[in-house]
Amino acid sequence: MKRRIFKAIWVVAIVVFLASFLFILGIGYSYFSDVQFRHLRDQSRLVKEGVILGGQDYIDSLDPINYRITWIQSDGTVSYDSRADINKMNNHADRPEFIQAMETGYGESSRFSDTLAERQIYSAHRLPDGSVIRVSFTHVAMWALIPAFSQPILGVLILGLIVSLFITAQVAKKITEPINEIDPDNPTQYYDRHDYKEVEPLLRRIAHQQSQLKSDRSAIERASLIRQEFTANVSHELKTPLHAISGYAELLEKGMVRTEDIQPFASKIRTESGRMTKLVEDIIDLTRLDNGESEATWESCDLYRIAENAIDSLETAAEASNVEISLTGGSTPIRGVPQDLYSIVYNLCDNAVKYNKPGGRVDVTITSGPREIRLSVKDTGIGIPEESRERIFERFYRVDKSRSKKAGGTGLGLSIVKHAALTHRARIELKSKVGEGSEFIVIFPKERD
Ligand code: ADP
């Protein structure tokens, strides 16, 4: 960060420095040129007056070092030049300063001299005899000023470097100090504070992530608590039938059972192991749903046929409880996981039979609307008390534990239904009246193309 700040300041300093250097150089140069011209004008006038009074003798006596004096006759031939050999010089009638002097008495110009191979400024005066006396001076080019300036430039550059190093250290400290002092656990305390104004978006992002992390953490904690509870419940649920089985087996082993009791004992062992099998099956179902299925495993199926199968497998149990199951509807194509759809219908119907009254009814109805498919499982059973309607979908929650156990319930059926409905984006509605019956309606949204 410090390096970047330094670089930025240094680049800005160099750019500003160079720009102002060129600007000052330009102004200085134009001023300098102006002064040169003015001097030249004065000099040339003096030379002119001298020549008028003293003629060639006067010029010879001058012997100028920095100036060049040229005497041009009215036809343009050069009769004297203080620097060049007049024999090698061509006719000067075309020189602008000469033409101007011939016309108005005075002329000046600035150009590259062919004779001296330098840029010159010229000032020319016409003499009373019609000839022209010209004084010129080497015009210093702008770049020629740079070497003279190089030392102060270098000085300023070094000074700039030192100053920018100092500024960088200060600026970097000022910028990084408040950032380093931020307490990421409580970023909201810096809101609206002057020294944190620029980093407020960052603070808000940190705060947002903090709250997200917090909710993630509590979700993880909740999930782990649910898992712990679930494991404890499963162990407990498994222990009861296992104890019963080992108890009956022990009695049988020790020959403590009368011959006529062997059959009911064996039947109890079978019931208990059946309960265990059901529990394990339900756990497997839940675990599968917990792991989440991708839509890739979805297929087109018929909800009506699935319901037919589920009802078929419950027929014996229904007859035993003296409950009649009916199915209304027709072929209903649906996209989903057949196994989960089966679990939904099966568990709802299983409950509708289990928590029914002798001579009761279970009516399963499947209807397909323009936007949704409805599966209704309606019974004439014992009903569900208002305060338990939310909780019955929790794992291992039972309204009447002994009744559920007697009926071979695991306490997992409705949580499987809820979970499977969720993966199908379906919602569940429940209508119930204690003593009269319940209706579970699962509403599947239809896929929109
Ligand atoms: P269970 O294996 O005990 O049936 P569920 O999760 O399927 O477990 O159901 C939870 C509880 O909800 C049941 O123990 C029962 O008390 C109540 N319940 C579920 N369905 C019905 C219903 N159709 N009528 C009355 N009570 C029901």
Side-chain angles (χ1 to χ4, degrees):
M1 179 115 151
K2 263 189 193 162
R3 242 169 76 201
R4 282 178 64 180
I5 295 170
F6 175 73
K7 231 165 136 183
I9 290 179
W10 192 217
V11 166
V12 170
I14 286 182
V15 168
V16 169
F17 172 76
L18 280 180
S20 42
F21 172 67
L22 286 176
F23 184 68
I24 290 168
L25 197 68
I27 290 179
Y29 180 69
S30 110
Y31 175 74
F32 184 63
S33 304
D34 214 44
V35 170
Q36 265 195 331
F37 248 115
R38 264 191 276 136
H39 277 194
L40 186 65
R41 259 177 234 138
D42 284 348
Q43 301 287 354
S44 66
R45 210 176 49 244
L46 289 176
V47 172
K48 169 197 152 195
E49 297 300 335
V51 171
I52 291 171
L53 290 175
Q56 185 65 45
D57 289 344
Y58 171 74
I59 298 177
D60 290 341
S61 72
L62 281 177
D63 191 19
I65 300 164
N66 290 319
Y67 294 93
R68 172 188 169 203
I69 299 171
T70 315
W71 199 351
I72 310 161
Q73 296 309 308
S74 55
D75 61 354
T77 51
V78 178
S79 59
Y80 171 81
D81 193 282
S82 65
R83 263 208 224 155
D85 181 357
I86 55 166
N87 297 319
K88 288 183 187 151
M89 290 171 75
N90 52 16
N91 191 290
H92 272 39
D94 61 346
R95 303 298 196 266
E97 68 280 1
F98 175 81
I99 297 168
Q100 222 182 328
M102 287 302 276
E103 277 171 11
T104 65
Y106 178 73
E108 62 185 33
S109 76
S110 153
R111 69 173 180 284
F112 197 80
S113 157
D114 290 337
T115 319
L116 295 177
E118 272 177 340
R119 197 167 178 83
Q120 298 272 313
I121 49 176
Y122 300 94
S123 176
H125 288 273
R126 196 181 61 208
L127 301 181
D129 65 357
S131 65
V132 168
I133 191 86
R134 186 183 76 173
V135 179
S136 65
F137 190 81
T138 306
H139 194 114
V140 179
M142 193 152 107
W143 53 263
L145 295 177
I146 293 176
F149 279 85
S150 62
Q151 228 173 348
I153 292 174
L154 209 70
V156 171
L157 272 177
I158 290 168
L159 194 76
L161 186 74
I162 294 165
V163 170
S164 65
L165 268 173
F166 178 72
I167 294 175
T168 307
Q170 294 296 315
V171 169
K173 202 171 150 202
K174 231 180 145 158
I175 293 175
T176 52
E177 222 167 47
I179 297 175
N180 288 336
E181 276 170 12
I182 289 174
D183 172 13
D185 288 329
N186 188 12
T188 49
Q189 62 176 307
Y190 307 101
Y191 287 2
D192 298 327
R193 261 179 55 180
H194 178 69
D195 42 348
Y196 287 95
K197 219 167 141 199
E198 280 81 12
V199 287
E200 207 172 296
L202 174 74
L203 291 168
R204 287 188 187 277
R205 260 209 316 277
I206 294 175
H208 178 71
Q209 273 171 1
Q210 280 286 348
S211 74
Q212 220 164 22
L213 267 176
K214 251 183 228 161
S215 69
D216 284 357
R217 205 179 306 144
S218 68
I220 291 170
E221 278 166 8
R222 222 172 24 247
S224 120
L225 206 73
I226 289 172
R227 248 198 317 278
Q228 275 173 17
E229 247 174 52
F230 184 65
T231 317
N233 276 324
V234 167
S235 319
H236 180 75
E237 296 285 334
L238 281 171
K239 229 156 63 189
T240 322
L242 268 176
H243 271 308
I245 291 170
S246 75
Y248 294 134
E250 200 183 333
L251 291 175
L252 286 166
E253 191 185 28
K254 288 185 177 160
M256 289 166 79
V257 183
R258 285 177 302 180
T259 321
E260 63 267 34
D261 285 339
I262 289 179
Q263 200 269 332
F265 266 56
S267 154
K268 275 180 179 154
I269 290 177
R270 206 163 68 84
T271 311
E272 292 301 332
S273 54
R275 192 195 296 277
M276 271 173 64
T277 309
K278 178 82 175 66
L279 184 66
V280 170
E281 276 169 3
D282 280 359
I283 291 168
I284 289 170
D285 263 357
L286 262 182
T287 314
R288 192 170 50 80
L289 285 161
D290 264 344
N291 290 340
E293 287 153 320
S294 70
E295 292 203 11
T297 55
W298 284 34
E299 46 188 272
S300 301
C301 34
D302 182 354
L303 188 60
Y304 188 82
R305 287 206 61 81
I306 289 171
E308 265 181 343
N309 288 339
I311 291 167
D312 270 356
S313 51
L314 280 166
E315 207 59 66
T316 330
E319 266 168 33
S321 309
N322 191 19
V323 172
E324 197 183 318
I325 311 183
S326 77
L327 173 63
T328 317
S331 171
T332 310
I334 189 170
R335 265 195 77 75
V337 183
Q339 202 179 344
D340 294 346
L341 296 171
Y342 180 87
S343 288
I344 292 174
V345 188
Y346 180 88
N347 281 301
L348 289 177
C349 294
D350 182 34
N351 284 347
V353 172
K354 275 193 303 194
Y355 306 105
N356 220 312
K357 298 170 193 162
R361 290 191 51 76
V362 174
D363 293 305
V364 182
T365 315
I366 295 169
T367 46
S368 180
R371 288 168 173 226
E372 49 197 31
I373 293 165
R374 292 164 82 91
L375 161 76
S376 152
V377 180
K378 190 174 179 186
D379 64 59
T380 54
I382 58 172
I384 302 157
E386 178 89 53
E387 65 274 13
S388 296
R389 282 180 204 163
E390 287 278 322
R391 299 207 60 196
I392 51 170
F393 294 97
E394 289 173 16
R395 293 169 183 190
F396 295 114
Y397 179 85
R398 292 140 165 142
V399 178
D400 179 346
K401 203 159 183 163
S402 65
R403 174 157 185 158
S404 159
K405 288 214 162 162
K406 220 177 275 166
T410 58
L412 293 176
L414 284 182
S415 50
I416 292 171
V417 171
K418 179 182 156 187
H419 222 328
L422 211 71
T423 56
H424 286 79
R425 293 187 275 274
R427 62 177 203 277
I428 303 171
E429 280 174 13
L430 168 58
K431 296 172 191 164
S432 184
K433 219 169 191 176
V434 176
E436 287 184 21
S438 316
E439 182 181 10
F440 286 82
I441 307 161
V442 187
I443 302 152
F444 299 90
K446 267 195 174 166
E447 276 175 53
R448 255 166 273 164
D449 304 305

